[in-house]
Amino acid sequence: MKGIPVLQAKGLVKRFGGLAAVNNVDVDLYRDQITAVIGPNGAGKSTLTNLLSGDLPPTEGRITLNGNIIGGHSPESIARLGLGRSYQKTNIFLPLTVWDNIRLAAQAKEQHLPFNPLHWLTRADRNARVQARCEKALQLARLEHRRHQVAATISHGEQRQLEIAMTLATEPTVLLLDEPLAGMGQAEAERMVELLLALKAEHAMMLVEHDMEAVFALADNLTVMVNGQVIAAGTPEEVRNDAGVQAAYLGEEAEA
Ligand code: ADP
Ligand code: MG
């Protein structure tokens, strides 16, 4: 039983002038499930991610997150409703320490809480809460040993872990990750796969990823996009055996 989707999108369309970068796409993300989105460059994967996160307004379609209609809302308000995302390019503050990066991400959320006199009265409590959230994110992302290090001095793989820690510090229920393994060596990629598997239990996750080994290791559901459209969706096995997908995409990959 999958239950109720944490995030659901129906009939999403995004047009850039005459180009339908995302063309009538549905998405259902469930807690404790990883949905991987694959497809050639230009298929619309990043655009889809940007629609779900509010970085781009959809031309058409409906998106709900934890029961709230979010289509057209700002990224900040969508984040407050429980959506965390990472970007294809890392988004960290290189001169700051690992801890300060996480702390800033957590505070950014806290500052947007609606005004509440009880919160105002308990500033110390609030600080303690932010502190605890950061500590948990640091641990979940397995970066305790890098806490005091300046972000510029940690490895590329650890910078990607840091980006995930910054996302976790906002306590999301949905995680959207755009190519979290990009540019990683084998060992770094394996560590990230393990980390993502560990995060699965508490989150609904959507992963855009080119690394097929990682995709097949991680995904419960696989969606294949080509030219803005979903050409196949199902379990990894179902998609792997789909003749249309092999012709349009996986076959092409194998030959490359
Ligand atoms: P993917 O992430 O699958 O490689 P993208 O979502 O980045 O694909 O791009 C899908 C298509 O939309 C591409 O043809 C791209 O050139 C186009 N596109 C993406 N963003 C924009 C934009 N802001 N303005 C115009 N065209 C865009
Ligand atoms: Mg992309």
Side-chain angles (χ1 to χ4, degrees), residues 41-42 44-47 88 178-179 208 210:
N41 275 332
K45 307 178 299 294
S46 291
T47 303
Q88 196 170 342
D178 197 356
E179 302 199 21
V208 173
H210 283 296

Side-chain angles (χ1 to χ4, degrees), residues 138-155:
L138 186 75
Q139 282 173 22
L140 280 173
R142 300 170 183 176
L143 285 170
E144 291 115 303
H145 61 302
R146 296 287 184 240
R147 178 194 302 264
H148 301 298
Q149 235 169 292
V150 171
T153 67
I154 62 177
S155 71

Side-chain angles (χ1 to χ4, degrees), residues 6 12 20 25 29-31 40 44 70 74 128 149 168 203 210 239 246 248:
V6 182
L12 276 187
V25 171
L29 302 181
Y30 298 89
R31 191 185 155 100
I70 59 163
S74 70
Q149 235 169 292
L168 292 173
H203 301 92
H210 283 296
V239 171
Q246 290 190 357

Side-chain angles (χ1 to χ4, degrees), residues 174-219:
V174 177
L175 283 174
L176 305 181
L177 306 174
D178 197 356
E179 302 199 21
L181 280 77
M184 285 191 175
Q186 182 74 18
E188 284 183 326
E190 281 170 16
R191 205 163 61 215
M192 183 58 79
V193 166
E194 259 178 52
L195 170 57
L196 298 181
L197 278 176
L199 296 177
K200 190 170 99 155
E202 305 244 329
H203 301 92
M205 286 170 67
M206 188 178 101
L207 181 74
V208 173
E209 188 48 63
H210 283 296
D211 180 332
M212 284 301 142
E213 200 181 321
V215 163
F216 281 99
L218 285 167

Side-chain angles (χ1 to χ4, degrees), residues 39-80:
N41 275 332
K45 307 178 299 294
S46 291
T47 303
L48 175 63
T49 309
N50 288 332
L51 295 179
L52 299 178
S53 66
D55 288 273
L56 285 173
T59 310
E60 287 172 32
R62 178 188 167 95
I63 310 171
T64 56
L65 168 63
N66 292 312
N68 304 283
I69 296 172
I70 59 163
H73 288 204
S74 70
E76 294 76 21
S77 76
I78 294 173
R80 250 173 283 143

